[in-house]
Amino acid sequence: MLWLWVKATWLMSLLVMLRATRGNRGKIGAQGGNLVVMPPEDGRVLLDHRDVLVELSRTPDSFPELQAKQSALLARRSLLMDKVNRFNERVCRSLSEPTNTLLGHTGPVLALASPHASFDSRTFAGPGAGVGGIGSRSQILFSSSIDRDIRVWDLSQTPPVSLYTLPEHRQGPSELIVNHNNTLLISCSADQKVIVWDLTANVPTVLYTLTLESDTVYMASLAVTQEGMLFAGASNGSIVCWDLRTGTPTATPLPMTLWNAHTALVGAMLLTPDERFVVSSAHDGSICVGEIGNATPCKFYLSGHTEAVIALAQTQTAQETHRLFSGSNDHSIVMWDMSPLYQVTPQTPTQLHSLPSAHNNQIIALAITLDNTRLFSGSQDKTIGVWDISDLTAKPKLLHQLQGHAHYVRSLSLCNVGDANTQMLCSGSYDDTIKAWPLLC
C-alpha cells in the first residue's frame, strides 16, 4: 500500500499546484528569456506559474508559440486529471473489502434488517409501544436464513457476535422489517406465518403469529406504517392488511383487507414517505402503486421490466425529487420519477432512466444510503453494484462493484455504526455468510 500513498501524494501535489494557479488569471511574466502566460477570466486554463507575474489584460493571440504551449499544457492537465481519477478508483477498490464476515447461519441468508437511525415523533399505540430493549440499540442487525433461524447480531463488537437465535419459523423467513420506532421486528415465511416480535425487551419475544385461512397462500414481502398498519404481499399476488393496534396479549389481529394487485408472488413492497401509497412488485413483471383507503386495488401500473421484479428501493427526499428504483430478473434497474403522485390529482409515475445491463444476472436486492447519494444492487452474479445517484435527474453511474461473496447476493441492508449518520453496508448471500462493507467512496 506504501506505493499507493506515495503516488497519491505526488499526484495531489500536482493537482494543488494546478488549482492554485486558477485564481491568477490574465497575467504574464518572464524569467531567463522564457515567456510564461496565465489565462484571463474567460475560462482558459493556465500555461505555467513559475515566474514573477505582471498584469496583462488578456493572453496575446499574436503569439503562436504561446498558443501551442497552452494546448500542450491543456493536454497535460487532462492527462493529470485522468491519472488522479484512476488513482482514486484504485484506492476505492483497495478499500472496498468487507471489514467483517459474520458466520453462524448454516444455510443461505435470505433477509437482513436493522433498526432505523431515526424515527418519527408519533408514537405507535399498540403492543410493543414501550421504549428501550434490543430495538433501542442502533448497532444491531437481524438476519434470516434457509436454516429457519433469525439471528440477532451486535455490530458494536469486533468482530460482531450473534446475541440470540430465534427459531420460531418452520421454513426460512424470506422478509424481515423493523417498524419506524424500532419496537417491532416482523418476519414472514413460506410456512404461512407472519410473526410480530417485541423488541422492547432485551431478548425479542413473539407478540403475535398472523395467518390466513389458506393451506397454500403465504406472505413473501412486508411493509408497515408508523401507526401500525401492516401490509403483506402474498404468494398468489394479493395484498393483505392487518391493523396491529387492534391486538392484545390475548387477541391476535385479524386480516382486514385483501385485494388482488398481481397475478404472481409479490416479491417486494414499500410505502411512500408520506405513507399514502403502497408500492409492490411481483414475479409477473409488474409494479403496482395502490392508494391506501382507495377502493381501486391498484391505482397505477408501472411497465419497464420484461421479467420478475423482486427488488425495490426509494429515496427519502422531497416530493419533487422522490425516486423509486426497481431491480429485475431481466438484469436491469429502472429509475422512476414518483413526483406525479403528489399532484392535486395523482398521475402515473414516469420512467426517468433504465440501466438494461446493470448486472450479468438477476438483480435480487437494492438499498439506498441515508443521504440519498448511493444506490447498492445485489445480484446473482455474486457482486454488489455501487451507483452514484447524487444527481436525481441524471442517469445513475456505476462507480465500482464489490466482490467478496462466493454465491448469489440475496439481501442488502444499511446498518448503523456509531452515530446516527454513519452507516455500513451489510450483505447476505447464498454462500451462508453476511459481509459488512465500509462506505468510504
Side-chain angles (χ1 to χ4, degrees), residues 269-293:
M269 178 180 293
L270 55 79
L271 297 162
T272 55
D274 63 356
E275 297 189 346
R276 181 180 171 186
F277 298 94
V278 179
V279 183
S280 58
S281 65
H283 285 205
D284 60 10
S286 65
I287 300 173
C288 165
V289 181
E291 187 172 17
I292 298 175

Side-chain angles (χ1 to χ4, degrees), residues 251-267:
T252 298
L254 298 176
M256 292 174 47
T257 307
L258 179 66
W259 72 82
N260 295 319
H262 305 276
T263 60
L265 183 144
V266 181

